[in-house]
Amino acid sequence: MSLKPIDLTGGKSVYCFNQHQMDQARNMLNEESDSGKKIREAVARLEKDYSRNEQATIAFTIIEHLNESSEF
């Protein structure tokens, strides 16, 4: 049974990310450091082991948990 993909573009906006945040995340992903390596490995595992819908659900869940446990 094929599941309908989660639409990542439609609906009410819940969380907003600015370009600076995306750039910082991309820089951290690509930097030659222990953190960069761990992040690349985690992303590779997620992309290998989980469907697109599962990856989206994991991403949304992590964002929600980070928002709820905000240290600001």
Side-chain angles (χ1 to χ4, degrees):
M1 176 169 97
S2 177
L3 296 177
K4 182 179 175 188
I6 293 174
D7 182 7
L8 301 178
T9 60
K12 178 183 170 190
S13 181
V14 178
Y15 299 109
C16 295
F17 304 100
N18 65 43
Q19 188 63 50
H20 177 72
Q21 291 169 309
M22 291 301 295
D23 291 343
Q24 290 295 98
R26 194 173 296 111
N27 288 341
M28 192 171 183
L29 169 76
N30 292 322
E31 70 185 19
E32 292 302 320
S33 67
D34 289 339
S35 289
K37 181 180 177 188
K38 285 180 5 184
I39 295 166
R40 286 188 299 277
E41 290 172 351
V43 169
R45 278 193 310 275
L46 288 170
E47 290 176 341
K48 176 182 172 280
D49 296 339
Y50 297 90
S51 71
R52 183 177 188 274
N53 281 353
E54 291 167 336
Q55 291 175 49
T57 299
I58 291 166
F60 295 147
T61 301
I62 290 171
I63 291 165
E64 183 176 50
H65 289 182
L66 289 170
N67 190 49
E68 291 171 354
S69 65
S70 177
E71 296 179 11
F72 294 106

